[in-house]
Amino acid sequence: MFDSKMLTSFVIKSSLCKYSNMKIGGKATYLLAPHSLSDLSSILVEANSLGLKILPVGGGSNILFGNVGNRVIILDAYLPELFEVDNETVIASSNQKISSFIDMCAQYELGGLEFIAGIPAHIGGAIHMNAGAFGKCIFDYLLWVEYIDKHGKINKIDFKSIKFGYRTTSIDGFITKAAFNMEKKTKEQIIADKKDIISKRLERHPYDYPSLGSTFKNPAGKYAGKLIEECGLKGLQQGGAEISKKHANFIINKGSATFEEVIELINIIQETVSREKGINLELEVKVIN
Ligand SMILES: Cc1cc2nc3c(=O)[nH]c(=O)nc-3n(C[C@H](O)[C@H](O)[C@H](O)COP(=O)(O)OP(=O)(O)OC[C@H]3O[C@@H](n4cnc5c(N)ncnc54)[C@H](O)[C@@H]3O)c2cc1C
């Protein structure tokens, strides 16, 4: 184990399960909670000089924690919050929750991101994953992103210079803030659209148990959930983990699921869909092990 006085001074003694929406995770050597951007910058420089991998954590709605070893896990939760409006441009810190961001924009009669309402994510994580739904993605509204790289340098990058695709982006660093080009929309309409999207999600997705959303990316022209369902895997359980009966692309934690049980279900799905459909399902969820 590395001995870094600088890193250990930011360590919080908490279990990782608190920071994943799947409610799975044990102890980490370096679970860090910086309170300022300069502390964040120092952490990134120190981790890099020690050759340690970093993992930014936002809402934890897409992260499955296994044995994280010496990985430096950095929470955005305690960093300063920012929300600024200039005409139709909104600048927000990466640690804003999607839900609050939509509500705050509504106060200024600015809408657009309602399509991701109901996702328990933060702005930074949603940008890193290029979150999307109902035919839209967050990059449709993005103007620029600010991030700190492994050398502690702050970079501001125009969205046109970022490579992005289906649930992927090329940003290599800790996103700290971003600007969005929002749409003029009445507050009432934003609230109504947000409500509508959330009720569609509640109808289709298993919100009554912890999950990480879609486990696999949809293969071109197909739906992962439909393929899994057609293979008869809906409802399959391994201990406390279950392939949701409501939506087969969601693996839910029925209360006491372990990392190994979720991985077992992931392996069964990948093997079965490959054998029966000839399709290799690619993970959307970030497995940290
Ligand atoms: C119920 C449910 C519904 C969902 N529905 C959708 C959906 O409709 N569409 C969709 O796209 N996704 C969906 N998801 C998945 C998930 O919410 C998204 O991937 C979201 O973008 C992740 O954001 P987060 O803040 O939770 O990121 P985290 O889970 O914290 O992190 C995800 C990845 O982003 C990285 N990251 C996080 N913050 C930063 C940062 N500041 N800088 C750099 N990298 C960062 C992490 O290191 C990790 O690799 C859903 C999840 C759940 C639980």
Side-chain angles (χ1 to χ4, degrees):
M1 190 196 301
F2 294 91
D3 180 25
S4 164
K5 282 205 173 56
M6 210 289 297
L7 288 187
T8 47
S9 64
F10 292 102
V11 163
I12 55 167
K13 298 214 178 308
S14 196
S15 170
L16 286 171
C17 71
K18 202 174 152 192
Y19 302 103
S20 164
N21 201 59
M22 195 66 175
K23 305 296 169 225
I24 292 177
K27 292 254 173 294
T29 309
Y30 296 121
L31 173 60
L32 312 184
H35 286 240
S36 72
L37 294 182
S38 67
D39 286 346
L40 170 62
S41 179
S42 309
I43 287 168
L44 295 172
V45 171
E46 184 83 350
N48 185 46
S49 72
L50 293 170
L52 300 176
K53 281 191 190 159
I54 65 134
L55 181 80
V57 176
S61 62
N62 219 22
I63 301 179
L64 179 64
F65 290 118
N67 177 3
V68 298
N70 276 334
R71 198 181 276 253
V72 179
I73 297 164
I74 310 169
L75 305 177
D76 71 5
Y78 302 93
L79 290 170
E81 286 195 27
L82 173 87
F83 183 86
E84 282 173 6
V85 177
D86 179 10
N87 292 314
E88 285 167 37
T89 301
V90 177
I91 301 175
S93 51
S94 56
N95 56 357
Q96 293 287 351
K97 291 183 179 143
I98 294 294
S99 165
S100 339
F101 179 85
I102 294 169
D103 291 347
M104 288 193 282
C105 287
Q107 300 303 320
Y108 293 86
E109 309 240 287
L110 292 172
L113 292 190
E114 296 77 71
F115 64 93
I116 45 171
I119 304 184
H122 294 184
I123 288 289
I127 292 172
H128 180 86
M129 296 301 298
N130 187 17
F134 303 101
K136 289 180 168 184
C137 68
I138 197 164
F139 267 67
D140 296 340
Y141 293 85
L142 200 61
L143 289 173
W144 52 259
V145 171
E146 209 167 271
Y147 68 95
I148 306 183
D149 65 24
K150 60 185 177 185
H151 306 294
K153 184 171 165 269
I154 298 177
N155 302 270
K156 187 173 166 184
I157 181 166
D158 189 272
F159 85 95
K160 289 189 200 111
S161 310
I162 305 169
K163 284 196 200 111
F164 63 93
Y166 173 39
R167 305 294 170 266
T168 170
T169 51
S170 61
I171 305 164
D172 187 14
F174 197 112
I175 299 164
T176 50
K177 64 174 156 173
F180 298 92
N181 184 24
M182 305 299 283
E183 294 162 358
K184 268 276 169 218
K185 205 164 160 184
T186 65
K187 189 176 167 188
E188 293 69 32
Q189 191 59 53
I190 296 167
I191 292 167
D193 288 350
K194 180 182 171 190
K195 209 172 147 203
D196 181 50
I197 294 287
I198 291 176
S199 63
K200 283 197 176 98
R201 287 183 181 280
L202 291 172
E203 219 174 89
R204 299 172 192 182
H205 299 153
Y207 269 82
D208 36 359
Y209 290 102
S211 82
L212 297 170
S214 295
T215 312
F216 301 98
K217 295 184 183 181
N218 288 324
K222 304 212 180 301
Y223 289 105
K226 191 158 183 285
L227 293 168
I228 300 166
E229 189 175 345
E230 284 169 0
C231 289
L233 295 173
K234 241 182 179 182
L236 184 72
Q237 292 193 2
Q238 285 290 319
E242 181 184 290
I243 300 171
S244 166
K245 294 186 187 93
K246 199 164 181 182
H247 193 304
N249 201 16
F250 279 58
I251 295 179
I252 54 173
N253 180 356
K254 295 203 86 173
S256 58
T258 62
F259 172 78
E260 289 74 20
E261 288 163 355
V262 176
I263 293 296
E264 187 58 31
L265 285 181
I266 287 173
N267 291 338
I268 292 172
I269 293 171
Q270 284 180 320
E271 280 161 24
T272 314
V273 173
S274 167
R275 192 178 56 244
E276 295 193 12
K277 303 281 184 183
I279 293 171
N280 293 322
L281 288 180
E282 191 192 333
L283 272 178
E284 180 171 323
V285 161
K286 302 282 181 195
V287 176
I288 311 300
N289 196 34

